[in-house]
Amino acid sequence: MEILGVRIDNITRQEVLERIEFFLSEEKFHQIATVNPEFILRADRDEEFKNILNGCALCLADGVGIWYAFIRNFGYLKARVAGADLLNEILEIANDKKLSIYLAITTRGLSSYKEIRKILREKYPNIEIAGADLDPKKDKKWPKIITQQIVFCNFGFPKQEKFLNLIKNDTIRLAMGVGGSFDFVTVKIQRAPLWMRKVGLEWLWRLKLEPRYRFRRIINAVVVFPVRILFNM
């Protein structure tokens, strides 16, 4: 199913995890995107980004706005999959399978590679962790060959999706952009209470924590996107 030209895979959470297990068993590159309303608005004016999203092995709905769009146009969304939740689930699988991961961490974020690695090594002792602090605006000397099976990048969209598409190879089994999810891991940012996440009010919590940074993004998510859905679909 498509929303403003961007494919969304309408599958259950269990099906998501089953596909991830399969991706990790296949010697082939698989990219996952957790798509929120801002992704779709950006893709509408960024053809490269749209093509990358539509070429992903999985495009999952992340955000209550996508849920409302499905209700209006398709009837039912089987699951909303937050990137932060999926990150944790993939790490659990990687730990059980004793896999290796690479962390491409922006120097412009709150959490450093060293901080993230320390916490992940304590929580997931069976995972082999490598990575680096990278500046997505200045550092163009990306790692040429990444031999780890899973890659996570937190550059923020669309940079993280474009970065992952650029470095893809058959050694990497799974790649995903995670936005600010590692800041939850290091507790640099507190995640919204569970009840707010369940009813789709996590955006309100983030606005409270980061009012200046989040205001434009919230306007896009709760005003611009719904108007586009109402009049353009």
Side-chain angles (χ1 to χ4, degrees), residues 12 18 24-25 33 43 51 82 101 129 166 170 188 198 217 226:
T12 67
E18 288 172 359
L24 291 172
S25 70
N51 290 338
I101 68 173
I129 303 173
L166 184 67
D170 289 338
K188 295 291 181 75
K198 286 186 174 181
R217 301 187 66 177

Side-chain angles (χ1 to χ4, degrees), residues 197-215:
R197 286 180 256 156
K198 286 186 174 181
V199 299
L201 290 177
E202 191 166 9
W203 62 269
L204 189 60
W205 175 265
R206 296 298 297 272
L207 181 61
K208 175 186 174 183
L209 294 180
E210 307 166 87
R212 294 182 63 184
Y213 174 67
R214 286 279 162 180
F215 182 73

Side-chain angles (χ1 to χ4, degrees), residues 3-50:
I3 299 176
L4 299 181
V6 175
R7 190 190 91 246
I8 301 293
D9 295 309
N10 190 18
I11 60 178
T12 67
R13 182 173 289 275
Q14 181 58 36
E15 289 173 318
V16 171
L17 297 179
E18 288 172 359
R19 291 200 191 185
I20 287 171
E21 293 268 7
F22 172 73
F23 294 161
L24 291 172
S25 70
E26 189 177 31
E27 294 183 4
K28 179 182 175 182
F29 179 86
H30 306 86
Q31 186 167 344
I32 296 176
T34 51
V35 179
N36 62 32
E38 280 196 285
F39 276 56
I40 292 176
L41 292 177
R42 177 59 183 256
D44 196 42
R45 64 180 192 274
D46 186 335
E47 194 69 19
E48 179 190 5
F49 184 44
K50 179 185 288 186

Side-chain angles (χ1 to χ4, degrees), residues 74-133:
F74 310 117
Y76 179 62
L77 178 65
K78 295 179 181 179
R80 284 195 294 124
V81 184
D85 293 330
L86 190 56
L87 168 65
N88 291 330
E89 289 170 326
I90 293 173
L91 287 170
E92 290 286 352
I93 293 171
N95 192 61
D96 290 341
K97 294 180 176 295
K98 299 182 179 180
L99 301 178
S100 58
I101 68 173
Y102 187 94
L103 308 178
I105 305 302
T106 176
T107 56
R108 298 172 181 267
L110 298 177
S111 306
S112 69
Y113 164 66
K114 184 177 180 179
E115 291 171 323
I116 298 165
R117 182 184 61 179
K118 180 178 184 296
I119 292 172
L120 293 184
R121 289 181 70 177
E122 292 172 354
K123 189 173 182 180
Y124 305 104
N126 294 328
I127 297 177
E128 177 188 325
I129 303 173
D133 291 308

Side-chain angles (χ1 to χ4, degrees), residues 130-187:
D133 291 308
L134 302 168
D135 187 332
K137 288 189 176 182
K138 294 181 179 179
D139 186 358
K140 299 304 179 184
K141 296 179 181 179
W142 308 125
K144 296 295 183 182
I145 300 176
I146 292 178
T147 59
Q148 286 70 30
Q149 294 145 313
I150 301 173
V151 180
F152 296 115
C153 179
N154 73 338
F155 292 177
F157 79 97
K159 293 184 181 70
Q160 60 193 16
E161 284 72 30
K162 293 181 179 181
F163 168 82
L164 294 173
N165 185 67
L166 184 67
I167 64 165
K168 64 184 178 182
N169 63 60
D170 289 338
T171 301
I172 300 169
R173 306 286 178 84
L174 188 67
M176 186 173 78
V178 297
S181 297
F182 282 129
D183 293 331
F184 299 141
V185 172
T186 60
V187 200

